[in-house]
Amino acid sequence: MINLIVAFDDKYSIGKDNQIPWHFSEDLINFKKNTSGHVCIMGRATWLSLPDRFRPLPNRTNVVISKENFSYFEKTFGNSDSIQSSRCRFRPSNFNCFSDISSALDFYKGKEIFAIGGRNIFKEFISNNLVQKMIVTHVFGDYKGDVKFPKEEWNYFKSKVSKEVVVFENEKMKIVEYYA
């Protein structure tokens, strides 16, 4: 199953200065609970925004989609010998890098997959009808983010939703699972 997990505010902000502009333990617990043991696909900027102590995310297969030169990853893991053909594999063993989403999906076919960001990754997954379930943390308020969740794709996905389940709600946020 291909899932998308995201948190956005009332203005669809998902990031500010390459960081998440809020910190709610309930959201982080939900993220960990849902993604642990699964494949997490992200863009390069999302990868770089992870705190060093969580990079790679533990107990998950971390997959970075990047058309960039892979020298950053070589420096990070200190092993340029581990790059292989059009896909590059690095150490640690729970990290992989691909130049496009379709290659990653082919490689991890049959696995539970979560698209975890950023904006372009979300846009591509939704516009190509890849997402079966979307887990959204609706953060109440405007956090003045500089990166927005793609609103057009959100509206498109919402038009296909067959079921909504509220998982958690308080005065700061609401976590909802949407099924296409």
Side-chain angles (χ1 to χ4, degrees):
M1 176 182 250
I2 298 176
N3 310 280
L4 188 149
I5 189 164
V6 64
F8 55 73
D9 70 9
D10 292 342
K11 302 286 186 180
Y12 300 96
S13 296
I14 59 174
K16 182 175 181 161
D17 301 325
N18 208 29
Q19 298 296 315
I20 297 172
W22 50 79
H23 181 84
F24 299 128
S25 59
E26 299 90 345
D27 180 44
L28 297 172
I29 290 166
N30 181 63
F31 179 85
K32 183 177 180 180
K33 178 186 82 160
N34 280 287
T35 62
S36 286
H38 302 299
V39 176
C40 292
I41 297 179
M42 67 195 91
R44 184 185 51 80
T46 300
W47 168 260
L48 294 174
S49 74
L50 296 173
D52 288 342
R53 70 182 189 278
F54 294 118
R55 194 180 329 146
L57 293 168
N59 195 31
R60 300 161 189 86
T61 301
N62 293 246
V63 176
V64 175
I65 306 299
S66 179
K67 295 189 180 356
E68 298 282 324
N69 168 319
F70 295 115
S71 62
Y72 169 80
F73 301 110
E74 291 173 34
K75 289 178 201 165
T76 301
F77 296 119
N79 187 357
S80 61
D81 296 335
S82 60
I83 297 176
Q84 300 175 358
S85 66
S86 64
R87 84 170 195 274
C88 58
R89 297 226 274 179
F90 303 91
R91 300 295 175 253
S93 62
N94 68 333
F95 179 88
N96 216 340
C97 186
F98 295 86
S99 59
D100 60 83
I101 289 172
S102 61
S103 297
L105 294 177
D106 287 345
F107 190 80
Y108 291 104
K109 192 174 186 128
K111 303 272 188 191
E112 185 93 3
I113 294 172
F114 283 85
I116 67 167
R119 182 189 197 298
N120 292 334
I121 296 293
F122 292 145
K123 187 173 184 170
E124 189 167 341
F125 268 86
I126 297 169
S127 63
N128 288 308
N129 293 310
L130 299 172
V131 179
Q132 290 127 351
K133 179 171 100 175
M134 191 180 299
I135 303 166
V136 178
T137 300
H138 298 275
V139 177
F140 305 136
D142 178 2
Y143 283 77
K144 311 264 189 257
D146 54 13
V147 179
K148 307 287 185 182
F149 189 80
K151 188 176 179 182
E152 186 176 307
E153 282 72 15
W154 168 243
N155 291 334
Y156 170 72
F157 184 83
K158 284 275 292 184
S159 73
K160 302 184 330 170
V161 168
S162 62
K163 179 177 156 187
E164 291 183 26
V165 177
V166 176
V167 177
F168 177 86
E169 186 169 8
N170 67 16
E171 68 284 350
K172 299 175 190 168
M173 60 181 224
K174 176 170 69 170
I175 300 172
V176 182
E177 293 179 352
Y178 298 92
Y179 296 84

